[in-house]
Amino acid sequence: MHVIATAGHVDHGKSTLVQRLTGMWPDRLAEEKRRGLTIELGYAWTEIDGRQFAFVDVPGHERFVANMLAGVGPVPAVMFVVAATEGWMPQSEEHLAAVQALGVSHILVVISKADLADPAAAIAAVRQRLPNAPVVLGTDLDAVRAQLVALASRIPAPDVDADVRLWVDRSFTIRGAGTVVTGTLAAGTLRVGDELEHAGRRYVVRGLESLTRAQTSVSAVARAAVNLRGLDHRDIGRGDTLRTPGAWLDTAEVDVSVRASEALPRNLVLHIGSAAVPVHVRPLGAAARLRLARPLPLRIGDVGLLRDPGRHLIAAGISVLDVRPPPLRRRGAARQRAEELASGRATPPVCARANELRAMGFGVNGLRVGEWVVDPDWWAGKRQETPVAVQRWSTEHDIAAGMPLETLRQELELPAVELVAELLDGIGLVVADGVVRRPGATLPPRVDEAVRTVEKWLAAEPFRAPEAEQLSELNLGPRELAAAVRAQRLTRIADGVVLGADAFDRAAEILQTLAQPFTVAEAKRALNTTRRVAVPLLEQLDKQRRTRRTADGTRTVI
């Protein structure tokens, strides 16, 4: 199928031409028929020389330019109508600016009403603006049909295997069927039973039609009507999309190349596909950053236009360069970004998930790290940075267990913490309990000296744990004691209670010599300690299943 939109000044006969070609009057609304004026998008179709042609008829009045753009946005070709009676008019100029801004290069010009006036002036005006476009008189329908076939032959074949993104132009409900949406399918294939995504939810295609005929599948380029299960027609409308799940990224900020003859206002409306979204424009040399009022599923290479609705002016044509642009917070970042975009293309991110690269429109090229794709040079640089970052942090936090994974992720500016473990492979660092450290890390000198003092005390009386005051005098607080335990220099029995590294083994050996079962008091005497140590020590031995506590409170060594 070949989908072609009309364009041209109001009352130049676009709808009449479509009706003469197809036998179908495209205006649907009662108000359109009463006023004799196209207000909304109209649809008609026919077959020419064995080819299916579907026409999207657009309004020509300046008040309905937004509707016109919604019709032209997704289509690959335009039939431009200029009346011989009036020639080139203001809306002819605006529609041409829109068509050119949208990058539509396949154009057929039809001079209408040639039976009412000499078409020479109109043809001359067209030749000035579209020197390479074929021009044909609307009074010769056979010539129009022949030129439509020739136009269709010049349009590149669409990618029928591409990810689906159907820009919706209508949404309504049919009794007994439910919600139906229509749009121009520019790429990909729709099938009954497919799941499609809208607004973060998935919906099943329960039926398809194209040109009022039921279909099991519809491939691009085509007009498609999609019947969806579970979706209220009020929750989807013009400017929304149905798309392949997981294959598209909604973005509210994009970098674009700009084709404009003058400086852009800061607030405009972006027309892309069938959507019209207010945007804030930040100039970046020959490019710009657009902040969208609502996210859209865009990809690199998408073409749209910026319009100033207050001035009824097409401000610029745009091409999407980057749908995940870097922030511009640093001084000079905007100037640097403008230089990067001056080439008219953006480089892929140095680190991204494979499915995200595909959704952004980049090829999946680079070093694979799990589900991530990274730039090899960038990855090598991060591997060099990692031990330096860990050493610097460890110097500043000398008694910590190690550098927290999340802290290291932020330091290295990695997008996800799972990349840290992959980065550490083979560089002499280990991950344990959520922290990164060198294996066999030792205590800092000041802590080492204090722990040696405690070890001397415990060598003389193994189960006489130092009192809180003694530990305080040695500057051994909770963090220092935790570091000594991690270094396997001391054993934690309870909060603030530490013994030697072999305390549990030595205690079990001594308790083995007692008559079984034994009481806490008997254990306390055998270990030559206090109840402050004996009770938590026995509880720890219970947890280790070295002792078993009975119902009467006595214990047996296992």
Side-chain angles (χ1 to χ4, degrees), residues 43 45-46 55 137 144 199 235 238 289 299 327 337 353 364 367 371 382 434 461 529 535 548:
Y43 309 98
W45 51 90
T46 191
F55 296 94
L137 298 181
V144 174
D235 294 332
R238 178 171 296 171
R289 175 156 300 181
R299 278 189 180 174
R337 184 60 174 167
R353 289 184 174 90
V364 184
L367 177 66
E371 63 179 351
K382 293 301 178 185
E461 295 180 290
T529 189
V535 171
R548 182 187 299 114

Side-chain angles (χ1 to χ4, degrees), residues 7 69 75 151 201 236-237 273 280 285 298 312 325 343 381 436 473 511 534 557-558:
L69 294 173
V75 304
L151 177 69
R201 296 186 60 187
I236 188 170
H280 176 77
L298 303 180
H312 301 289
S343 64
V436 181
E473 290 175 0
L511 295 175
V557 175
I558 300 175

Side-chain angles (χ1 to χ4, degrees), residues 26-29 32 37-43 57-59 64 67 169-170 238:
D27 291 344
R28 298 174 289 106
L29 304 181
E32 291 178 310
L37 176 71
T38 299
I39 297 172
E40 258 292 356
L41 300 179
Y43 309 98
D57 188 40
V58 307
F64 308 119
N67 291 346
D169 50 42
R170 291 181 66 205
R238 178 171 296 171

Side-chain angles (χ1 to χ4, degrees), residues 397-520:
H397 307 79
D398 57 2
I399 58 172
M403 188 176 187
L405 276 170
E406 176 60 20
T407 303
L408 180 57
R409 183 199 70 79
Q410 294 177 14
E411 177 82 11
L412 297 174
E413 298 182 337
L414 297 175
V417 73
E418 63 260 28
L419 285 167
V420 176
E422 298 285 352
L423 197 63
L424 298 177
D425 185 31
I427 62 173
L429 296 170
V430 296
V431 179
D433 300 324
V435 298
V436 181
R437 65 172 184 265
R438 291 191 180 279
T442 59
L443 296 174
R446 61 184 177 83
V447 179
D448 179 73
E449 184 178 353
V451 171
R452 287 181 185 276
T453 300
V454 173
E455 287 173 330
K456 290 178 182 179
W457 295 343
L458 293 172
E461 295 180 290
F463 299 100
R464 289 282 179 176
E467 299 292 337
E469 294 80 3
Q470 294 174 299
L471 295 173
S472 179
E473 290 175 0
L474 293 172
N475 292 320
L476 291 176
R479 295 174 61 201
E480 287 78 10
L481 291 175
V485 171
R486 285 194 301 273
Q488 298 182 350
R489 298 279 295 279
L490 298 176
T491 298
R492 180 185 179 277
I493 305 301
D495 288 342
V497 180
V498 292
L499 296 176
D502 60 349
F504 292 130
D505 291 339
R506 296 183 67 173
E509 289 178 4
I510 293 172
L511 295 175
Q512 183 75 46
T513 65
L514 296 177
Q516 308 292 314
F518 56 87
T519 64
V520 172

